[in-house]
Amino acid sequence: MQDSRLTMADPTDLATLRVALRESDPDYTLHPIQMDSIFIQRQALEILPQVVSKLTNGTGKNILMVTDSTPYFRESSSVKEKVYFLLTQHFQVEWLVMHNETKDLHADNVNSKIIGNALQGKDCVIGVGGGTITDLCKDSTHMFGDDLPLVIVQTALSVNAFSDGVAVMLKNGVKRTVEARYPTVLIIDLDVVQQAPPERNLAGYGDLMATWTAPVDWYLSHVIGMNANYHESPSIILRPQLRELMKKSDRLAKMDRGTLSLLARVLTLSGLSMGIAGESSPASGTEHIISHLIDMSADSRGKNVAFHGAQVAVGAIMTSIAWDFFLKEFDPSKVDIDRCFPGHEEMKPKVYAAFSWLDKDQHAASECWSDYEKKLTKWHSAQESFRSFLNNWDSFKEEAEKKTLSPEYLCECMHTAGAPTRYSRLTPEIDAKTVRWAMNNCHLFRNRFTLSDLLYFLGWWDEAFVERILDRAETLDAGL
Ligand SMILES: [Zn+2]
């Protein structure tokens, strides 16, 4: 019998969640949730001045408010202006608008420094916006010193990245998850997120589809000896409630407030799952890597990217097809172990061939190789665990099947919610050549072992296999 404090975890009651997690973790593997509080409610904006006063012990006067430059509307008044107005009734507020002249705003070091330069003398930082503003605020205040209170006012249910201690930053043109900090307080006003463009909230729903692929990758990498930190609790806190949410995909399509509240809750739990794991593995596996490659490709060509979560959802469908093929067809007795361990001299040119075109100085390729090299070295030292994985295939298969959902069901839920399942239906659309490049090369991108690595080493993951995935997706009205 599983603990209902975990299976029905309530992110707005962190005290109870902390106790339940503590009791589920006798070996102290999990990391603490370093947040004061999370509010998911109607009219949550109204409590902001009170929250800031409490965080600054009633003495803080100087507030930095950070937003992007996109206009954002709640009924007729701008959410950002409303937050500014509420704050200026009580505090001295500097409003820093982050923008990029030609393209979307990126979470990169240049933008992080711009915020960092405005932090001196501030008593509290309020980030109002989506994932990029949140990542920039987390990164810049982390560099400054983690004791500066950070409040995030989430304006859409677009990603799960609000309630964890890491930031996804662009480094040498490559997206990397970096150590940052948690927001001190997260505020989700249901009236605000209900007014967000539906495709943004559906993107958040899409980001959650990784729950049926990423933790399976994580479990695989643990069993095969590539990751020592696996724990069940990060997934337990969100899976049952996500199943409930998926049954309500039709109500989500109508942006029903009760269903949005459940989406807010599950997305926040998904962020917390990464925080307590101390790494993004519970919510980021093969599907995210495919998405990161698509982003890098767009970035190198100076193009905008589609919503992160919308891209991830299509990647999750592709990955769930790969899992389905693997779990149904793999026969461990046919594996030639000696052929599963390519050397560095064989793989280095492959990594450079995959990524050299991204920039003229090959920074991205060098960055990827420096990460991939570590993974390859570790893989060579995991031969014994790999043998034992092959010997215990049936028990692995049984566990993995419990952690996945069929690609058919993922597609059905996405279609019912009115969310895209094809790369060509995203905005901007992603062309077939880019998708094929991203899928073929995703395993070469970083130091995290996923299904795509194992399938590559087994000799499965190649152009023909990618075509097979795409063909199966086509039968589900998904894929390209
Ligand atoms: Zn994500």
Side-chain angles (χ1 to χ4, degrees):
M1 184 70 185
Q2 283 186 328
D3 185 342
S4 65
R5 294 168 306 172
L6 294 177
T7 55
M8 292 306 292
D10 179 358
T12 67
D13 179 5
L14 289 175
T16 303
L17 182 55
R18 281 190 181 105
V19 173
L21 286 168
R22 181 72 285 287
E23 290 171 16
S24 80
D25 182 33
D27 301 329
Y28 292 86
T29 354
L30 298 178
H31 294 238
I33 301 171
Q34 292 167 324
M35 291 181 82
D36 277 16
S37 39
I38 295 171
F39 298 92
I40 303 175
Q41 62 195 58
R42 294 196 65 182
Q43 300 191 334
L45 287 187
E46 316 294 334
I47 61 170
L48 185 58
Q50 205 185 315
V51 165
V52 176
S53 265
K54 196 172 161 212
L55 285 176
T56 58
N57 299 318
T59 58
K61 288 274 171 283
N62 295 309
I63 307 299
L64 178 69
M65 173 174 151
V66 186
T67 70
D68 62 17
S69 58
T70 322
Y72 206 84
F73 298 96
R74 171 193 170 186
E75 289 152 9
S76 58
S77 66
S78 155
V79 171
K80 292 166 187 167
E81 275 160 21
K82 170 146 191 181
V83 170
Y84 182 68
F85 174 77
L86 279 169
L87 291 170
T88 50
Q89 302 306 297
H90 305 267
F91 312 101
Q92 295 280 341
V93 186
E94 180 187 339
W95 181 351
L96 177 63
V97 179
M98 302 296 298
H99 53 87
N100 188 324
E101 299 300 329
T102 52
K103 291 189 296 182
D104 292 344
L105 183 68
H106 277 309
D108 59 22
N109 290 342
V110 174
N111 286 323
S112 181
K113 277 198 187 107
I114 293 173
I115 300 174
N117 290 339
L119 294 177
Q120 204 62 47
K122 298 297 189 297
D123 300 306
C124 185
V125 179
I126 320 280
V128 184
T132 305
I133 284 294
T134 301
D135 280 343
L136 284 169
C137 286
K138 282 182 189 169
D139 187 65
S140 56
T141 56
H142 175 60
M143 297 293 176
F144 190 76
D146 287 340
D147 43 359
L148 185 63
L150 169 63
V151 179
I152 294 294
V153 176
Q154 191 173 331
T155 51
L157 302 173
S158 49
V159 281
N160 62 358
F162 297 90
S163 46
D164 62 49
V166 295
V168 178
M169 302 290 293
L170 259 185
K171 188 180 163 194
N172 291 332
V174 179
K175 287 205 162 187
R176 288 286 183 234
T177 303
V178 299
E179 204 54 47
R181 54 145 319 157
Y182 281 89
T184 324
V185 175
L186 173 63
I187 294 181
I188 304 179
D189 185 324
L190 293 173
D191 299 302
V192 170
V193 295
Q194 195 179 26
Q195 298 299 321
E199 59 274 21
R200 296 202 76 195
N201 293 334
L202 289 174
Y205 185 57
D207 206 12
L208 288 172
M209 294 304 132
T211 308
W212 309 109
T213 49
V216 210
D217 279 355
W218 190 26
Y219 178 64
L220 167 73
S221 108
H222 173 67
V223 171
I224 221 160
M226 293 294 284
N227 186 325
N229 298 327
Y230 184 76
H231 200 290
E232 289 284 337
S233 292
S235 296
I236 290 174
I237 62 170
L238 74 147
R239 268 200 200 115
Q241 296 186 81
L242 176 56
R243 280 181 194 271
E244 282 309 303
L245 176 65
M246 290 171 78
K247 285 183 201 154
K248 293 177 177 163
S249 296
D250 55 333
R251 290 195 224 168
L252 189 62
K254 298 181 189 121
M255 294 293 128
D256 159 68
R257 192 181 284 128
T259 314
L260 284 176
S261 174
L262 182 57
L263 172 60
R265 190 173 159 126
V266 182
L267 263 183
T268 304
L269 288 168
S270 176
L272 291 176
S273 76
M274 297 190 277
I276 60 177
E279 54 185 288
S280 61
S281 306
S284 171
T286 307
E287 73 302 315
H288 269 75
I289 308 178
I290 297 170
S291 174
H292 289 329
L293 259 65
I294 292 172
D295 287 351
M296 288 198 308
S297 154
D299 194 54
S300 82
R301 289 179 285 165
K303 287 177 145 187
N304 281 333
V305 296
F307 290 132
H308 164 81
Q311 238 171 241
V312 165
V314 189
I317 293 167
M318 302 299 108
T319 310
S320 75
I321 293 174
W323 269 111
D324 194 56
F325 286 150
F326 180 54
L327 293 174
K328 285 191 176 128
E329 298 169 15
F330 181 59
D331 177 353
S333 69
K334 298 221 170 86
V335 175
D336 179 353
I337 293 182
D338 294 337
R339 297 188 63 171
C340 295
F341 294 88
H344 285 52
E345 65 296 337
E346 182 182 341
M347 294 310 294
K348 188 174 179 180
K350 290 187 196 289
V351 173
Y352 275 83
F355 302 114
S356 284
W357 65 274
L358 287 165
D359 61 279
K360 64 176 172 17
D361 299 320
Q362 303 198 343
H363 284 314
S366 305
E367 177 74 31
C368 290
W369 171 245
S370 93
D371 241 33
Y372 185 84
E373 195 181 14
K374 293 177 197 136
K375 176 164 68 179
L376 192 60
T377 303
K378 194 160 189 189
W379 173 237
H380 279 263
S381 68
Q383 292 209 22
E384 275 317 302
S385 317
F386 178 49
R387 277 177 209 279
S388 128
F389 165 81
L390 296 173
N391 292 335
N392 297 292
W393 167 247
D394 289 339
S395 69
F396 173 83
K397 186 180 164 188
E398 195 183 327
E399 268 310 301
E401 278 170 349
K402 285 186 211 156
K403 298 177 195 309
T404 53
L405 283 179
S406 72
E408 285 74 15
Y409 185 61
L410 297 190
C411 285
E412 182 192 320
C413 292
M414 292 294 285
H415 289 148
T416 307
T421 54
R422 287 180 179 277
Y423 287 112
S424 56
R425 304 249 173 90
L426 304 183
T427 313
E429 70 173 275
I430 299 154
D431 62 274
K433 192 175 161 205
T434 302
V435 172
R436 288 189 165 98
W437 167 78
M439 289 182 67
N440 275 310
N441 296 297
C442 63
H443 61 101
L444 300 171
F445 170 65
R446 72 177 171 189
N447 180 16
R448 174 172 296 172
F449 192 91
T450 67
L451 178 67
S452 59
D453 290 290
L454 177 62
L455 294 187
Y456 178 78
F457 293 136
L458 288 170
W460 283 38
W461 194 277
D462 58 14
E463 284 182 17
F465 187 70
V466 167
E467 287 314 308
R468 226 186 128 204
I469 293 175
L470 291 171
D471 288 347
R472 168 89 174 270
E474 196 56 45
T475 67
L476 304 172
D477 187 15
L480 294 175

